[in-house]
């Protein structure tokens, strides 16, 4: 199968994290959303990324639908077989995806006041999911489940920002931080992004026009060394 997206899209990272967790081979192609190729426009019903092209040539869109297809057709399902449990897992996964663009907006905040206001919404979401974290390292138990995978995109990016800027979206949430550490230790988040992800992510979110970028510069951590191919408008072109 083949995934099509752009390099710092959080929705595609959710898809590739699932593929990595299930150890499913896949190809990935990154496109410029400001100059979409005609073959992509012909293939994508809504003009958004990611899309998945199956081995049979069928095109699937919307990350929620894509991850469900992958879970149902590859390896052992990670979603629960019990209808109530599965519905709850889907709901908690949906809550994560609802905050992808909220996190993107917070990361682009131009000043401390704006960042704190936007970060509060993201922190509230993590506060809501903390009660699900028990003795096991993951919500899915001893291994990452579908809820962990959906939230891993958010957690991965908070870790990158904390390391480069000193600003931690999870500063007052110790259980969420422990969960993040467990997910990072699996290696799945790093495997689910391109080799130049951190440089491109930093070029966009840690530029000197953002408050996080100014924090990074103050710590001697320069912005990315490559130009990011995405724009603010591109954030609305993935789902």
């Amino acid at each position: 199968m083949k995934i099509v997206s752009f390099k710092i899209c959080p929705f595609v990272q959710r898809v590739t994290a699932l593929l990595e967790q299930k150890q499913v081979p896949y190809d990935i192609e990154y496109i410029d959303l400001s100059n979409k190729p005609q073959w992509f426009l012909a293939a994508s019903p809504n003009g958004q990324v990611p899309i998945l092209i199956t081995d049979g040539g069928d095109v699937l869109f919307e990350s929620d639908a894509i991850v469900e297809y992958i879970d149902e057709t590859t390896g052992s399902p990670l979603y629960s077989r019990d209808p109530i449990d599965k519905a709850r897992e889907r709901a908690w996964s949906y809550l994560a995806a609802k905050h992808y663009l909220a996190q993107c907006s917070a990361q682009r905040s131009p000043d401390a006041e704006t960042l704190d206001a936007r970060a509060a919404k993201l922190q509230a979401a993590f506060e809501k999911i903390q009660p699900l974290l028990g003795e096991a390292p993951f919500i899915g138990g001893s291994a990452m489940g579908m809820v962990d995978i959906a939230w891993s995109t958010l957690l991965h990016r908070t870790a990158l920002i904390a390391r480069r800027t000193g600003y931690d979206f999870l500063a007052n949430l110790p259980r969420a931080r422990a969960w993040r550490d467990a997910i990072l230790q699996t290696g799945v988040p790093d495997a689910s992004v391109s080799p130049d992800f951190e440089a491109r992510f930093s070029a966009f979110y840690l530029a000197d026009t953002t408050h996080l970028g100014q924090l990074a510069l103050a710590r001697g951590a320069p912005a990315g060394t490559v130009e990011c191919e995405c724009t603010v408008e591109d954030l609305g072109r993935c789902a």
Side-chain angles (χ1 to χ4, degrees):
M1 61 182 70
K2 180 178 181 179
I3 308 296
V4 179
S5 189
F6 72 101
K7 287 190 174 180
I8 63 170
C9 172
F11 295 90
V12 76
Q13 188 178 2
R14 176 188 178 189
V15 173
T16 52
L18 176 59
L19 291 166
E20 294 290 341
Q21 175 66 11
K22 299 190 79 171
Q23 299 183 337
V24 177
Y26 63 96
D27 293 325
I28 189 163
E29 180 171 348
Y30 299 107
I31 62 171
D32 179 356
L33 292 185
S34 299
N35 185 26
K36 300 175 186 175
Q38 286 301 314
W39 64 263
F40 171 78
L41 293 172
S44 176
N46 61 5
Q48 293 181 317
V49 292
I51 62 170
L52 181 147
I53 304 173
T54 70
D55 293 339
D58 294 303
V59 176
L60 302 179
F61 63 106
E62 294 291 340
S63 57
D64 283 327
I66 292 171
V67 295
E68 191 149 345
Y69 166 80
I70 292 170
D71 193 47
E72 290 178 351
T73 60
T74 63
S76 299
L78 298 186
Y79 269 133
S80 174
R81 296 179 184 274
D82 179 83
I84 294 294
D85 289 341
K86 181 177 181 179
R88 287 180 178 140
E89 291 165 3
R90 291 177 68 183
W92 282 109
S93 297
Y94 178 67
L95 183 62
K98 279 180 62 176
H99 285 83
Y100 289 172
L101 295 185
Q103 185 182 48
C104 292
S105 177
Q107 291 164 170
R108 289 284 295 179
S109 298
D111 53 61
E113 183 179 2
T114 304
L115 175 60
D116 289 342
R118 293 174 177 175
K121 298 178 181 179
L122 189 62
Q123 290 161 352
F126 280 109
E127 288 173 356
K128 290 175 182 177
I129 200 169
Q130 274 199 137
L132 273 67
L133 301 170
E135 296 299 321
F138 309 105
I139 290 174
S142 59
M144 287 175 63
M146 292 297 278
V147 178
D148 301 286
I149 288 165
W151 287 79
S152 69
T153 292
L154 297 168
L155 292 164
H156 182 217
R157 292 158 193 245
T158 66
L160 190 160
I161 286 171
R163 174 165 50 81
R164 293 183 69 100
T165 72
Y167 186 95
D168 194 346
F169 287 93
L170 307 182
N172 300 315
L173 301 170
R175 295 177 71 189
R177 292 201 308 274
W179 182 34
R180 177 177 65 190
D181 291 343
I183 285 177
L184 292 176
Q185 287 170 10
T186 67
V188 167
D190 287 334
S192 67
V193 295
S194 65
D196 60 349
F197 169 80
E198 183 166 343
R200 292 186 179 276
F201 179 92
S202 299
F204 188 60
Y205 290 112
L206 305 185
D208 58 9
T209 53
T210 72
H211 184 66
L212 289 173
Q214 293 158 17
L215 293 177
L217 289 171
R219 288 166 59 92
T225 57
V226 299
E227 182 178 352
C228 183
E229 76 278 17
C230 63
T231 65
V232 173
E233 289 74 21
D234 290 335
L235 299 178
R237 296 172 183 160
C238 54

